[in-house]
Amino acid sequence: MQQHHDRPATLGELLASAAAAWGTTPEALRDRRRPKLLGPARQAFVLAAVRHTANSYRTIGEAIGRDHSTVMTAEAIARRREENDPDFAGKLRALTREGRMQ
């Protein structure tokens, strides 16, 4: 994914990057039927979106078919995962590098 250095990544770009990092598709991350299997990818998307965009929790949630309270919970879980799970942290770093947001 090619980014311009003078603009932040969009939610769509972050979602595509998160999906790629976890070997899935953006559509699968929006699917309500597979929450546990793809939870870490969604959580990484949420944390990257909160950190690197000006979008509200509601808007971030709409991008993955979730409500704002689910996004807030996902952010908290992602922050804990980032501290305790090296694989998750590595994928999150790759996701944000791909978006040229560091």
Side-chain angles (χ1 to χ4, degrees), residues 8 14 25 28 36 42 52 54 58 66 68-70 86-87 97:
L14 287 174
T25 65
K36 291 187 182 188
R42 287 189 196 102
H52 303 292
R58 178 180 175 199
R66 305 302 192 276
H68 76 281
S69 62
T70 301
D87 183 58
R97 270 194 312 274

Side-chain angles (χ1 to χ4, degrees), residues 1 13-24 29 41-42 44-45 95 98:
M1 171 184 331
E13 290 165 342
L14 287 174
L15 189 61
S17 293
W22 269 266
T24 190
L29 295 182
R42 287 189 196 102
F45 161 75
L95 161 64
E98 187 171 320

Side-chain angles (χ1 to χ4, degrees), residues 36-82:
K36 291 187 182 188
L37 178 63
L38 299 176
R42 287 189 196 102
Q43 293 156 6
F45 161 75
V46 165
L47 187 54
V50 167
R51 286 181 175 168
H52 303 292
T53 74
N55 291 289
S56 68
Y57 288 122
R58 178 180 175 199
T59 301
I60 293 167
E62 288 171 353
I64 53 171
R66 305 302 192 276
D67 64 31
H68 76 281
S69 62
T70 301
V71 170
M72 293 171 74
T73 300
E75 178 190 11
I77 292 168
R79 288 181 188 278
R80 286 192 302 274
R81 278 188 194 269
E82 182 180 28

